[in-house]
Amino acid sequence: MTERISLEGKVAAVTGAGRGLGRAYVELLAERGARVVVNDLGTDVSGFGKDSTIAEQVADLVRTRGGEAIAHDSDVATPEGGSDLIATTIGHFGRVDLLVNNAGIGLFESVEETSGEDFRAVIETNLCGVFYCCHEAIPLLKQRGGGYIINISSLAGANPHPRMAAYNASKFGLNGFREAL
């Protein structure tokens, strides 16, 4: 039987944490004892819409199960959003030990169907957002003597699909960024 890893006393910030895999990561981290910052704008998978209650619902779930969590809805696709996520984590919990970069959007469109605005939105969320969060977290992790950064990529970062040009580009870029880290 494998021993379960305890995260008691650790603090995790998770982007794209309101639904799907991001929510599952939050639930697992909290189950293992981590205090969690649940970051999500509440957009759909294409990046449209906004529902600030999505992050709060997940944070509420963690708290009803006896864990500690706060909701956060800054847009990590901007330098200010990435900075605010890490500052909020430090401000509320006093530290950051783990950063899970999961926020992502995607469009099922070919190159000629994709607008420049939509292409930029995917790159800014899926790739730049990871950079902005890492840029803020890494100095703090170094000061503490270490920590963990988990960047969620996709098979699309190795096996492109012709109708996912922007998403493929973002995930190929993320894989290269991971190697640089």
Side-chain angles (χ1 to χ4, degrees):
M1 181 174 217
T2 304
E3 187 175 326
R4 293 172 52 103
I5 297 170
S6 172
L7 296 173
E8 281 299 322
K10 303 294 185 195
V11 175
V14 183
T15 69
R19 298 183 180 104
L21 288 174
R23 179 180 172 145
Y25 301 144
V26 166
E27 290 184 46
L28 180 61
L29 291 165
E31 178 184 303
R32 299 289 174 94
R35 296 171 287 167
V36 186
V37 177
V38 179
N39 169 265
D40 203 292
L41 287 175
T43 66
D44 67 17
V45 71
S46 299
F48 297 105
K50 185 171 179 169
D51 183 353
S52 61
T53 67
I54 298 296
E56 190 59 51
Q57 290 169 11
V58 177
D60 283 344
L61 176 67
V62 169
R63 291 189 294 264
T64 63
R65 293 177 177 173
E68 291 183 60
I70 62 167
H72 183 269
D73 68 352
S74 285
D75 184 356
V76 297
T78 67
E80 300 80 16
S83 179
D84 187 57
L85 171 61
I86 301 304
T88 298
T89 303
I90 298 298
H92 190 84
F93 290 119
R95 61 190 285 165
V96 62
D97 301 290
L98 175 65
L99 170 62
V100 180
N101 289 305
N102 177 69
I105 60 174
L107 304 170
F108 200 69
E109 298 175 339
S110 67
V111 171
E112 61 272 14
E113 295 169 326
T114 305
S115 71
E117 181 181 333
D118 287 346
F119 187 85
R120 277 189 304 280
V122 172
I123 297 296
E124 288 169 358
T125 299
N126 300 5
L127 182 56
C128 297
V130 173
F131 169 77
Y132 299 138
C133 292
C134 287
H135 185 264
E136 297 298 318
I138 287 172
L140 300 170
L141 294 173
K142 285 182 174 181
Q143 284 175 358
R144 295 192 51 76
Y148 299 92
I149 297 173
I150 300 170
N151 297 321
I152 306 303
S153 188
S154 166
L155 289 175
N159 301 307
H161 186 284
R163 293 194 48 79
M164 297 177 71
Y167 188 77
N168 292 147
S170 71
K171 295 304 181 176
F172 269 82
L174 179 57
N175 291 341
F177 182 75
R178 179 197 69 232
E179 293 300 316
L181 286 177

